Amino acid sequence: SAPVLSAQVGSYRDISQESLSLFRLLEPRIEILVLGTGDRVERLHPALLRHMRACGIAVEVQDTANACATFNFLMSEKRLTAAGLIPP
């Protein structure tokens, strides 16, 4: 089972390098971060996504329902993944 951690993010506007720093600290290092942005897919700042890629973490941004499904699929494939989910 995956550990549950909480960052103080109320909406996609609160997603920042600081709020994502938690995911860069996980051991073993994750390959993919799935972000669920609520009822709909929201665009994140390109610099934020570039920063995560530079740290070796691919970021998938989806609405939360699809992000949950993607996370479960990646886990079933034994991929090193984490999810950041904002409730719809």
Side-chain angles (χ1 to χ4, degrees):
S1 80
V4 176
L5 306 168
S6 177
Q8 297 302 314
V9 174
S11 88
Y12 76 94
R13 290 179 199 84
D14 299 326
I15 298 173
S16 65
Q17 278 190 29
E18 185 176 278
S19 68
L20 294 181
S21 65
L22 170 71
F23 296 106
R24 295 192 304 271
L25 301 173
L26 294 176
E27 288 293 333
R29 280 182 80 67
I30 63 168
E31 305 169 303
I32 304 167
L33 172 59
V34 182
L35 291 177
T37 55
D39 287 323
R40 35 181 251 183
V41 179
E42 302 289 354
R43 291 179 50 80
L44 300 183
H45 197 285
L48 180 61
L49 300 176
R50 276 194 305 274
H51 177 75
M52 293 300 283
R53 262 195 316 275
C55 294
I57 300 171
V59 179
E60 273 294 318
V61 181
Q62 302 176 336
D63 62 84
T64 298
N66 284 310
C68 289
T70 298
F71 174 78
N72 287 334
F73 174 76
L74 291 168
M75 289 295 288
S76 75
E77 290 199 325
K78 307 277 191 263
R79 300 292 299 271
L80 293 173
T81 188
L85 305 169
I86 297 171

